[in-house]
Amino acid sequence: MKIQFIGATHEVTGSCTLLEVGGRYYMVDCGMEQGTDVFQNIPLPVPANAIEAVFLTHAHIDHSGMLPKLYKDGFKGQIYATEATCNLCDIMLRDSAHIQESEAQWRTRKAERAGEPAVEPTYTLQDAMGTIKLLRPCRYLEPVQAAEGIIFRMTDIGHLLGSAAIEMWLTEGEETRKIVFSGDVG
């Protein structure tokens, strides 16, 4: 059992944590860094298609904003979140994709004037729509077995509509550990 912090280790943006349980990979949050990048997130050390599932604490872009990029890179697992978080992500990820595409178009026009290559968006609306289809709503306090060795439940922390602390019981061999991921506490 291993936990690796990919983002938000030195600042409160870009939340992303990689879990390895029983030789399989999972993530808690997949956030986009916002504002000045003082400390950049480290690259994901495994291919996106090796991630089995993502557990999402809430819909804020600094916790969910890179899910469409993960999808674009090959992730096709389930994304567990509260129903309200799923509903908010439907809106916010499409909006974020529109911003990504618009910004890439603007940067491309600028680059072309300088004789430089076109700029690709981090992800597109199509990537966001594919991501939205992977969202799996969960009820507060209802235990869910996401995979062998992983049981979790979401508890209301009041940060915003649908936000949750995620309590996880991770089992490898004879050992079970409880870990709690809180996102942002309100």
Side-chain angles (χ1 to χ4, degrees):
M1 188 176 319
K2 294 180 187 176
I3 298 175
Q4 183 175 3
F5 299 101
I6 305 300
T9 55
H10 299 289
E11 56 193 354
V12 291
T13 184
S15 179
C16 184
T17 303
L18 181 67
L19 304 174
E20 182 180 349
V21 180
R24 301 170 89 178
Y25 297 100
Y26 306 88
M27 291 175 65
V28 176
D29 290 342
C30 190
M32 180 179 285
E33 291 182 271
Q34 297 183 298
T36 305
D37 282 339
V38 177
F39 299 96
Q40 276 197 325
N41 286 5
I42 65 170
L44 192 60
V46 298
N49 64 1
I51 306 295
E52 302 277 333
V54 176
F55 305 92
L56 189 56
T57 59
H58 63 283
H60 281 160
I61 292 299
D62 68 320
H63 289 259
S64 68
M66 291 303 280
L67 286 169
K69 171 77 165 104
L70 190 68
Y71 174 86
K72 177 180 182 177
D73 291 345
F75 171 73
K76 300 300 184 269
Q78 295 190 358
I79 303 168
Y80 295 101
T82 65
E83 184 174 357
T85 293
C86 291
N87 291 336
L88 287 169
C89 280
D90 185 14
I91 297 164
M92 295 174 74
L93 294 178
R94 285 186 287 123
D95 183 57
S96 180
H98 174 72
I99 292 168
Q100 298 300 316
E101 290 176 328
S102 296
E103 189 170 299
Q105 288 172 354
W106 176 79
R107 288 183 179 194
T108 293
R109 285 192 301 273
K110 190 174 177 180
E112 287 173 345
R113 286 192 297 269
E116 297 173 4
V119 175
E120 290 291 319
T122 303
Y123 53 82
T124 65
L125 180 58
Q126 183 178 352
D127 299 320
M129 297 305 290
T131 301
I132 291 163
K133 290 178 183 175
L134 302 177
L135 292 167
R136 298 294 175 260
C138 301
R139 292 188 175 133
Y140 285 123
L141 301 177
E142 186 174 292
V144 176
Q145 182 155 7
E148 186 176 330
I150 297 184
I151 296 173
F152 74 94
R153 72 177 184 172
M154 308 241 175
T155 59
D156 188 353
I157 58 170
H159 177 59
L160 84 147
L161 181 66
S163 62
I166 302 172
E167 298 176 301
M168 302 181 94
W169 291 266
L170 308 175
T171 303
E172 275 188 341
E174 300 294 315
E175 182 181 14
T176 298
R177 290 188 182 194
K178 180 181 178 184
I179 299 175
V180 178
F181 293 91
S182 65
D184 297 333
V185 178

